[in-house]
Amino acid sequence: MSKVISHSLFTDFDIDLFKAGKHFKLYEKLGAHLIEVDGVKGVYFAVWAPTAKSVSVVGDFNYWVQGEHHLNVRWDSSGIWEGFIPEVSKGSLYKYKIQSHIDGVVTEKADPFALYCEKPPHTASVIWDLDYNWKDENWMHTREQFNALDKPYSVYEVHLGSWRRAEHNRFLSYLELADELVKYVKETGFTHVEFMPIMEYPYDPSWGYQLTGYFAPTSRFGKPQDFMVLVDRLHQEGIGVILDWVPSHFPEDGHGLGFFDGSHLYEHPDRRKGYHPDWKSLVFNYGRNEVRAFLISNAVFWLQHYHIDGLRVDAVASMLYLDYSRNEGEWEANIYGGRENLDSISFLKEFNEVIYSNFSGVQTIAEESTSFLMVSRPTSIGGLGFGMKWMMGWMHDTLKYFQKETVYRKYHQNDLTFSMTYAFTENFMLPFSHDEVVYGKKSLIYKMPVDEWQRFANLRLLYGYMFTHPGTKLLFMGAEFGQTNEWNFQNSLDWHLLEYDYHSGIKRLITDLNALYKSYPALYEKQFTGDGFEWINYSDHQNAILSYIRKGNNPNEKVIIVCNFTEVVRENYRIGIPENVKIQAIFNSDKTIYGGSGIEIPNQLKIDSISYDGRDFSAELTLPPLSITIYSYS
C-alpha cells in the first residue's frame, strides 16, 4: 500500500472562512473524497483535530495498523490534518486514530464527515460518493408553490424502522419504502412526510436522536443512493420531504464526536453547558466558530445533496436556556444575568439566515415548547428566523380537553378556546407527534373516553378540529387509522386493524380531511394571520359547541365549522351567518363511511333573516353526536 502523499483541497480562503465559522460547505473539503492526483486514483482525507499530536488513517486497506498512513497537519494553525492515500477505493472501511498532546490519550474515531457508515453495531466509516441521477426536476423547480406558508401543509411523521416491517420483523429497505411508503402517503393525501432522524445513530432505542454520523443516512435501510431514491420518488409524486435534524446534543459513544482529539472539541468544555442531564449526552459548543460551521454545513448538505425540503429542528427549547433541566447551582447566567443561551440563539439565527438565503422553497420548523418570543419571525426584526414552530400548548390543551368525559366538558371549554388568544403570535404547526403515544401516554384512540363508539367519534372530531384550526398539521404514523397500541420502535404498526370498520373509517376520514384541506383556500391561505379566522360563537359552554369561520384571500369564499363536543344530537341548533348567501355542506364526521352513526345534515342551509350571534342572518343546523360539520359558501 502506498504512503500518504501531501495534497490539499483547501485554499487559503477556505481556511479563513473555516476559522471565522463562515464556511458552510465544509463537506466539500473535510472528510474522505475519491479523487485522482497526478493520474493516480485514491482518497483524500481531511479531519479537524487541533490538539492532536498525530493522526493516522486506519482501515481495512492497511489492516487497521496505526502509523501506516500518517496525515500531515497544516501549517496555518487551522488544526486540520490531511493527505492523499493512493489506491484506496470506494467501499473501504476506515477510522482516524488520534494521539493527543495529552499524555497517553489516544482516540479512535469515525469520520465526522463520512458519507456512509457501517451498519450498527459496527462503527467504521465507509469511503463513498454521492453520485446519483435525480429525476425530480419538476418538483425542485416548482416546490416553492407547495412549501410556501400560504399553502396546505399536512405532514405524515414517520419512523422508518417501525412504519412497516417485512417477514421475520425485518426492516424495509429504502428501496422497498420507495414503493410502499410513497404509495401510501400519496393515497392518504398528505402533502409532506417528516422522517424521524435518518442520520447514522448507534442505538436503536434513541429513535435516531443520538447521532454519530451527521452526513450519512443510516445504513440500516440501505446505501446513501437508496435513500436518494426514496426522496426522489416522493418528489415525483408531489410530496415534500422534511428531516428531523438534531443540533442540540450528541452521544458520548467512543467513536463519535465526544472528546474527539483528546479535548472538548465539539462539546462545550464547561459541563454546565456541555452536558445534557436528561439525555446523558453532550451539548455542542455554539460559541466556537468551527463547530457552528460544522452544524450549518450539515444542514446545507442535506438540502443540497439530498434535495430535502425542510428541517424540523429537534429540542430547540433545550438550546435556548442555560437552565434547561438543571437545578439551581447547576447552571451559570449569561453576561447579562439572564438564563438565555446567547451563543445558541446567535447560532440558530445564523442557521436560518443561511438556509433561507441559499435555498428557495424550503422551511425550517422549530420543536420549541416554551413561550420564547418570535421563534418564527425574521431575524431582521429580532426573531430566530424559523418558518414555523410546533404549537405544543394547543396540543396539550386539546388532548386534556378530549380526555374528559363529555358531561364535564362544559366546564373546560377554555382549554379549546385559549389557543386563539395566541394562535397568530407565531407561524404554528399543530402536532400530534410520536412523543404523545409512548411511555405510558397511550395511543390517541385510547386517550379518548368512555366506550368504543365514543372513542372513535371523539377521534374523528379531534382530527376535524385539528384540520380546521389555524396552522399547518402533523400526524404521527398509525394515528391515521386509530392505532390502538402505543408506538413501539421495535415493531411494525398494527396494519391488521384496517380490517375493522372503525379503523378503516378513520383512515378514510383522514384521507378526506387532507383532500378538503387542499381543496379550500380558506383553510390554508391565511393559516398564520388573524384575518383568516373569525369566531361565530365560542361561549356556548353549556352545550359544549364551538362555531367559527375560516377565510382565505378571496373575501367571497369562506368555510364555516361547527363542533359538537358531546354525544347529544342537537336539532334546530341556530348559528349566526354573516351574509345571506348559499351555504353548502362539505363534510360531516358522523357519516357511516367513517364509522359514524349516519345522522344526516342538509346539503344546503336555509338562511333566515333572524339576527343571531351578533349577525344579521342565521340558520338552523342539525349537529350529529361528537361531530364536526363543515360548510362552504361563496
Side-chain angles (χ1 to χ4, degrees):
M1 174 63 68
S2 302
K3 297 299 181 183
V4 174
I5 296 172
S6 293
H7 188 78
S8 184
L9 295 182
F10 284 91
T11 65
D12 290 344
F13 184 57
D14 285 322
I15 296 300
D16 289 342
L17 287 176
F18 177 53
K19 289 180 178 179
K22 302 298 181 183
H23 199 310
F24 302 134
K25 291 189 176 181
L26 284 176
Y27 49 85
E28 294 180 350
K29 309 293 179 176
L30 290 167
H33 299 270
L34 290 157
I35 63 171
E36 189 173 305
V37 175
D38 297 330
V40 178
K41 293 181 178 180
V43 175
Y44 165 79
F45 294 92
V47 62
W48 179 49
T51 67
K53 185 176 181 180
S54 69
V55 177
S56 296
V57 182
V58 296
D60 57 5
F61 46 85
N62 62 16
Y63 303 102
W64 303 95
V65 175
Q66 180 181 358
E68 286 292 303
H69 292 106
H70 276 302
L71 298 181
N72 305 308
V73 67
R74 290 183 61 88
W75 55 269
D76 50 24
S77 72
S78 63
I80 294 171
W81 298 72
E82 62 184 350
F84 174 75
I85 305 179
E87 302 171 19
V88 177
S89 58
K90 180 177 177 179
S92 297
L93 305 179
Y94 71 104
K95 283 186 178 179
Y96 296 116
K97 197 87 167 185
I98 303 171
Q99 183 177 359
S100 175
H101 276 294
I102 302 171
D103 288 344
V105 175
V106 177
T107 60
E108 186 172 294
K109 296 292 185 176
D111 188 348
F113 286 85
L115 301 176
Y116 189 28
C117 302
E118 271 193 300
K119 188 174 181 179
H122 303 293
T123 58
S125 302
V126 183
I127 304 295
W128 210 253
D129 60 39
L130 295 172
D131 295 344
Y132 179 74
N133 181 26
W134 287 91
K135 303 176 181 65
D136 63 349
E137 296 87 355
N138 288 340
W139 170 265
M140 295 299 288
H141 290 150
T142 62
R143 70 176 176 179
E144 196 161 2
Q145 63 184 280
F146 299 102
N147 287 336
L149 295 177
D150 61 351
K151 300 297 181 184
Y153 211 93
S154 177
V155 181
Y156 187 55
E157 186 190 21
V158 176
H159 178 262
L160 288 180
S162 58
W163 177 72
R164 182 174 286 163
R165 294 281 182 105
E167 66 284 347
H168 309 300
N169 210 31
R170 174 182 65 82
F171 290 142
L172 293 183
S173 68
Y174 291 128
L175 295 179
E176 289 171 315
L177 289 160
D179 289 329
E180 297 186 30
L181 178 62
V182 174
K183 179 182 177 182
Y184 183 79
V185 175
K186 181 74 172 179
E187 172 189 305
T188 47
F190 290 94
T191 63
H192 294 72
V193 292
E194 178 184 315
F195 293 131
M196 292 169 65
I198 54 84
M199 300 82 176
E200 193 58 82
Y201 56 98
Y203 187 52
D204 282 351
S206 78
W207 310 335
Y209 289 99
Q210 301 262 6
L211 305 180
T212 51
Y214 271 76
F215 291 82
T218 178
S219 54
R220 288 168 173 79
F221 314 116
K223 299 179 176 63
Q225 281 77 4
D226 297 339
F227 180 62
M228 291 178 182
V229 170
L230 174 56
V231 175
D232 206 351
R233 293 268 189 87
L234 285 161
H235 283 173
Q236 290 173 53
E237 294 295 338
I239 300 163
V241 180
I242 304 164
L243 295 187
D244 271 12
W245 186 55
V246 191
S248 48
H249 64 113
F250 58 93
E252 292 188 280
D253 293 62
H255 67 290
L257 297 177
F259 207 59
F260 189 80
D261 61 353
S263 72
H264 299 292
L265 191 61
Y266 288 90
E267 68 271 23
H268 199 287
D270 185 340
R271 196 76 166 174
R272 293 172 297 179
K273 298 179 182 178
Y275 182 75
H276 197 295
D278 283 355
W279 303 317
K280 296 179 172 46
S281 54
L282 301 174
V283 178
F284 285 103
N285 185 354
Y286 304 107
R288 187 163 191 169
N289 288 342
E290 298 91 341
V291 173
R292 292 166 71 109
F294 168 81
L295 287 170
I296 295 176
S297 290
N298 183 246
V300 169
F301 171 82
W302 291 102
L303 299 181
Q304 178 176 329
H305 284 290
Y306 285 88
H307 291 198
I308 299 305
D309 306 294
L311 297 172
R312 177 270 200 181
V313 183
D314 183 64
V316 171
S318 74
M319 301 171 66
L320 294 177
Y321 297 104
L322 295 165
D323 62 345
Y324 187 91
S325 288
R326 290 174 174 84
N327 298 316
E328 188 175 347
E330 296 176 346
W331 62 283
E332 182 181 44
N334 63 37
I335 58 173
Y336 303 109
R339 54 194 284 259
E340 295 79 15
N341 188 328
L342 301 181
D343 287 337
S344 175
I345 290 169
S346 169
F347 161 73
L348 289 170
K349 289 181 177 182
E350 185 172 28
F351 151 73
N352 280 309
E353 288 169 353
V354 170
I355 296 307
Y356 281 107
S357 62
N358 285 278
F359 296 92
S360 62
V362 302
Q363 295 292 346
T364 62
I365 305 163
E367 187 221 0
E368 204 287 304
S369 56
T370 75
S371 57
F372 193 92
L373 298 177
M374 301 177 70
V375 171
S376 59
R377 294 294 179 258
T379 59
S380 60
I381 61 171
L384 290 183
F386 285 93
M388 287 178 258
K389 170 183 171 173
W390 275 20
M391 198 176 189
M392 307 292 277
W394 171 88
M395 180 268 297
H396 288 302
D397 288 347
T398 300
L399 290 179
K400 183 170 72 171
Y401 178 87
F402 269 86
Q403 289 178 80
K404 291 179 170 61
E405 293 187 27
T406 58
V407 67
Y408 302 114
R409 289 180 176 177
K410 61 185 176 183
Y411 305 112
H412 300 279
Q413 194 140 310
N414 184 59
D415 288 344
L416 293 183
T417 58
F418 179 67
S419 65
M420 293 312 304
T421 66
Y422 65 95
F424 307 109
T425 59
E426 301 276 5
N427 298 338
F428 280 120
M429 172 176 280
L430 313 180
F432 288 134
S433 75
H434 63 276
D435 279 326
E436 303 316 308
V437 292
V438 291
Y439 297 146
K441 294 180 182 177
K442 298 189 279 192
S443 62
L444 286 184
I445 186 63
Y446 279 130
K447 292 181 192 291
M448 305 296 109
V450 196
D451 57 20
E452 183 180 50
W453 188 90
Q454 285 203 32
R455 284 197 189 104
F456 279 93
N458 270 302
L459 191 63
R460 294 191 296 270
L461 174 55
L462 173 69
Y463 290 156
Y465 172 64
M466 172 191 186
F467 270 84
T468 56
H469 189 287
T472 54
K473 329 297 175 186
L474 179 139
L475 202 60
F476 183 56
M477 63 181 198
E480 80 281 3
F481 61 78
Q483 168 93 4
T484 51
N485 289 318
E486 283 190 339
W487 172 53
N488 182 346
F489 72 92
Q490 296 176 303
N491 295 308
S492 169
L493 296 178
D494 296 330
W495 293 103
H496 66 276
L497 292 175
L498 284 169
E499 298 172 10
Y500 301 97
D501 290 344
Y502 277 144
H503 294 277
S504 62
I506 291 289
K507 180 172 176 284
R508 173 70 180 270
L509 176 114
I510 289 294
T511 302
D512 288 353
L513 282 172
N514 273 323
L516 190 79
Y517 179 43
K518 291 184 286 188
S519 299
Y520 288 87
L523 292 175
Y524 59 78
E525 285 182 339
K526 294 185 176 182
Q527 55 196 345
F528 301 128
T529 60
D531 58 350
F533 179 89
E534 178 185 337
W535 284 115
I536 295 175
N537 189 333
Y538 60 84
S539 60
D540 187 1
H541 302 259
Q542 191 63 36
N543 292 313
I545 292 171
L546 290 179
S547 52
Y548 47 96
I549 301 172
R550 293 294 309 280
K551 297 176 279 189
N553 294 330
N554 187 337
N556 298 317
E557 295 180 359
K558 299 181 176 72
V559 171
I560 293 175
I561 300 100
V562 187
C563 300
N564 178 10
F565 294 101
T566 73
E567 73 278 20
V568 178
V569 179
R570 305 292 178 184
E571 303 275 5
N572 305 317
Y573 186 84
R574 187 171 292 276
I575 65 169
I577 302 294
E579 305 162 76
N580 189 0
V581 292
K582 181 180 178 181
I583 298 180
Q584 199 79 23
I586 57 174
F587 185 83
N588 173 11
S589 67
D590 192 51
K591 284 185 175 181
T592 55
I593 58 171
Y594 304 137
S597 61
I599 291 180
E600 295 186 1
I601 61 175
N603 288 329
Q604 186 172 329
L605 292 184
K606 177 181 176 294
I607 307 301
D608 300 320
S609 297
I610 300 174
S611 297
Y612 207 78
D613 291 331
R615 291 163 176 83
D616 292 335
F617 303 94
S618 60
E620 287 188 341
L621 287 64
T622 296
L623 304 184
L626 290 169
S627 72
I628 179 168
T629 49
I630 307 175
Y631 305 83
S632 72
Y633 73 86
S634 57

